[in-house]
Amino acid sequence: MLITVLGFYGGYPYKGQGTSGYLLQDEGKNILIDCGSGVLNELSNYIDPLQLDAVVLSHYHHDHTADLGVLQYNWQLDPQNRKHDVLPIYGHTQDFVNFAQLTMDGVSKGIAYNDYETTTIGSLNFEFLRTIHPVPAYAMKITKGDESIVYTSDTAYFDGLIDFAKGSDLLITDTNFPEDKTGKIWHLTTKQTGELAKAAQVKRLMISHLPQKINAEEMLTETQKYSEGIPTIHAFTGLEVEI
């Protein structure tokens, strides 16, 4: 499995860098995980977007879906060069209005996932866990054999993340706040992320969904204090991690 960061900011794109989006490639399959602002343009640096096999969305906040509509237009306007007749887009059904928009006649089809059964795409198995966020959102675990990638999506901290991420080869976390954040918290802090990685005994940690106005190296240094020796990196556009 090869995962490439296409966007890593939370909320809004900033200085030419996009919001959440990751290209996952395995055995000739191209799967887009989230499709935030700026992601489609960055994706085209790696593959023709018409060569996607699937899109998997963690939730429907705009910083995870902003480029989805224009991706559908891309498929609509160039039907001769599509890898598939219709693009499968996986999403949850806790928001029927947004789920319905995943389907565009003759272009894309919304496919529902849930948190009580595995979804298989090619050689990869996807499991989902409902997180704590103002709208329904889901973490995902992607497994192939004994290898796994866990992506927390957007979430406040809760203990269920530990078991879900246990022993993963790569944990990608929503780390939008520094350790001293107070008040209502809908995303993980650097401290919570580091402690989660340690408790789950993950092999590698990537912090993502980063804030625009705090230096990424500062966020990384704080996280490393709590991840205690687990190899930890911060996401940046074009970062590739092979599992």
Side-chain angles (χ1 to χ4, degrees), residues 6 12 30 43 71 75 111 165 195 197 211 219 224 232 237:
L6 305 176
Y12 56 95
N30 301 310
L43 176 65
L71 173 60
W75 275 62
I111 301 174
E195 291 177 342
M219 297 287 286
Q224 288 170 329
T232 304
T237 303

Side-chain angles (χ1 to χ4, degrees), residues 170 202-206 220 224 227-233:
L170 176 66
V202 305
K203 296 181 177 66
R204 282 185 282 181
L205 171 63
M206 180 198 301
L220 178 61
Q224 288 170 329
S227 58
E228 295 187 4
I230 294 170
T232 304
I233 55 178

Side-chain angles (χ1 to χ4, degrees), residues 49-140:
L50 299 173
Q51 297 304 301
L52 282 171
D53 293 280
V55 179
V56 184
L57 301 174
S58 62
H59 65 299
Y60 302 124
H61 268 158
H62 297 309
D63 53 337
H64 295 254
T65 63
D67 274 12
L68 188 62
V70 288
L71 173 60
Q72 288 171 313
Y73 291 161
N74 190 169
W75 275 62
Q76 181 184 44
L77 296 172
D78 196 357
Q80 302 304 315
N81 293 309
R82 300 176 190 166
K83 187 174 183 178
H84 303 282
D85 291 338
V86 171
L87 176 64
I89 304 176
Y90 293 80
H92 68 71
T93 57
Q94 301 303 305
D95 180 337
F96 287 110
V97 173
N98 278 298
F99 180 76
Q101 293 176 7
L102 305 186
T103 297
M104 179 181 285
D105 190 38
V107 175
S108 62
K109 179 175 177 56
I111 301 174
Y113 65 69
N114 55 64
D115 54 5
Y116 55 81
E117 62 184 347
T118 300
T119 295
T120 300
I121 305 174
S123 59
L124 305 176
N125 291 322
F126 284 72
E127 298 172 71
F128 298 91
L129 175 70
R130 177 81 177 258
T131 67
I132 298 175
H133 204 51
V135 300
Y138 287 81
M140 58 186 81

Side-chain angles (χ1 to χ4, degrees), residues 206-236:
M206 180 198 301
I207 60 171
S208 194
H209 204 272
L210 298 173
Q212 290 79 2
K213 301 301 176 69
I214 303 175
N215 186 280
E217 293 297 330
E218 294 178 26
M219 297 287 286
L220 178 61
T221 298
E222 285 189 7
T223 305
Q224 288 170 329
K225 282 195 304 183
Y226 300 100
S227 58
E228 295 187 4
I230 294 170
T232 304
I233 55 178
H234 68 74
F236 58 85

Side-chain angles (χ1 to χ4, degrees), residues 136-236:
Y138 287 81
M140 58 186 81
K141 179 189 295 182
I142 306 144
T143 40
K144 180 185 179 183
D146 295 329
E147 299 173 331
S148 65
I149 297 170
V150 172
Y151 168 46
T152 67
S153 175
D154 289 10
T155 185
Y157 178 80
F158 65 104
D159 288 340
L161 291 169
I162 297 174
D163 284 340
F164 194 68
K166 184 72 72 176
S168 59
D169 293 276
L170 176 66
L171 173 62
I172 304 172
T173 57
D174 159 27
T175 308
N176 199 234
F177 295 129
E179 61 182 328
D180 60 357
K181 171 69 176 177
T182 59
K184 190 65 178 176
I185 300 178
W186 290 113
H187 302 275
L188 299 175
T189 67
T190 52
K191 181 175 186 289
Q192 289 170 334
T193 284
E195 291 177 342
L196 167 62
K198 181 183 175 186
Q201 299 177 310
V202 305
K203 296 181 177 66
R204 282 185 282 181
L205 171 63
M206 180 198 301
I207 60 171
S208 194
H209 204 272
L210 298 173
Q212 290 79 2
K213 301 301 176 69
I214 303 175
N215 186 280
E217 293 297 330
E218 294 178 26
M219 297 287 286
L220 178 61
T221 298
E222 285 189 7
T223 305
Q224 288 170 329
K225 282 195 304 183
Y226 300 100
S227 58
E228 295 187 4
I230 294 170
T232 304
I233 55 178
H234 68 74
F236 58 85

